[in-house]
Amino acid sequence: LLVMGLANGGKTTLVNNLKPEKDRDPPEFVAPTVGFNVERFTLNKCKLTVVDMSGQGKYHELWECYYKDIQAIIFVVDAASSAEQLEESKSMLATMLSHKDLKGTPLLVFANKSDLPEAKGAAAIASEVNLTGAVCDSRAWHIGACSALTGDGIDGGIKWLLGKI
Ligand code: GTP
Ligand code: MG
């Protein structure tokens, strides 16, 4: 799985929450990712290799190095972020999904930080980042709201994704 999205969206916090409980870090120990992290663990009987990319601009060119080797994408959006950031997520997603190596790769989008009162719901985020647009026509995709911090909403999205790979 390749986990992508803007910096500060909650990617590493999400991956931390997917790991077996004994291997998790306390959420306050999660720091901005430098480059990327690779984690290997079993989830719902699936052996996963999860590549958690940094969302910082200077690392974006690293992302496509992994496109050939992955089976599914998790794209994390901070659902409580500003209109400009949502616009940035939208163009980032469009660029990424138009890459030839990601043609048809299943896509799970998390509208993260649902625990924050200002967070938008999954349907609103789907429209903000244009999930209904052309780039999603030829692939299986799913969006769900979640809180990577509390764990709420993660299971449903992950079950969907594991059913596609
Ligand atoms: P980069 O590694 O820089 O790309 O960031 P990231 O996407 O990995 O984000 P990270 O997991 O480091 O989280 C960024 C901040 O958001 C941290 O302070 C997290 O505690 C916080 N955060 C992540 N998920 C949630 C969430 O669901 N709710 C709330 N309230 N905060 C969250
Ligand atoms: Mg990170």
Side-chain angles (χ1 to χ4, degrees):
L1 308 182
L2 190 58
V3 185
M4 294 174 282
L6 288 183
N8 200 49
K11 298 177 292 299
T12 306
T13 308
L14 173 77
V15 174
N16 188 44
N17 211 312
L18 295 177
K19 291 197 283 191
E21 211 161 341
K22 62 174 178 35
D23 299 332
R24 289 179 200 161
D25 297 314
E28 63 274 18
F29 281 31
V30 171
T33 305
V34 176
F36 60 92
N37 302 311
V38 179
E39 302 273 5
R40 289 191 179 83
F41 52 88
T42 301
L43 180 63
N44 298 357
K45 296 184 183 155
C46 291
K47 273 192 178 174
L48 299 177
T49 300
V50 180
V51 183
D52 167 27
M53 304 305 298
S54 166
Q56 286 179 56
K58 61 182 166 190
Y59 297 117
H60 287 177
E61 60 200 49
L62 281 179
W63 293 9
E64 64 178 51
C65 304
Y66 291 90
Y67 289 175
K68 266 205 195 65
D69 301 319
I70 57 140
Q71 286 178 278
I73 306 160
I74 299 180
F75 190 80
V76 177
V77 179
D78 178 346
S81 64
S82 67
E84 295 84 73
Q85 280 175 304
L86 290 173
E87 188 62 37
E88 206 180 322
S89 284
K90 173 178 155 182
S91 58
M92 181 185 269
L93 192 62
T95 308
M96 188 184 99
L97 295 181
S98 63
H99 196 284
K100 61 175 179 18
D101 294 338
L102 291 183
K103 203 166 169 239
T105 307
L107 167 72
L108 169 64
V109 178
F110 274 126
N112 189 34
K113 308 202 183 182
S114 63
D115 57 292
L116 297 176
E118 65 272 32
K120 293 184 173 163
I125 295 296
S127 131
E128 296 266 11
V129 303
N130 197 27
L131 276 180
T132 46
V135 286
C136 288
D137 278 357
S138 58
R139 77 183 71 240
W141 64 270
H142 176 85
I143 183 167
C146 80
S147 169
L149 214 49
T150 66
D152 284 342
I154 295 177
D155 284 358
I158 292 296
K159 274 209 187 87
W160 176 85
L161 194 67
L162 296 182
K164 296 289 168 197
I165 60 180

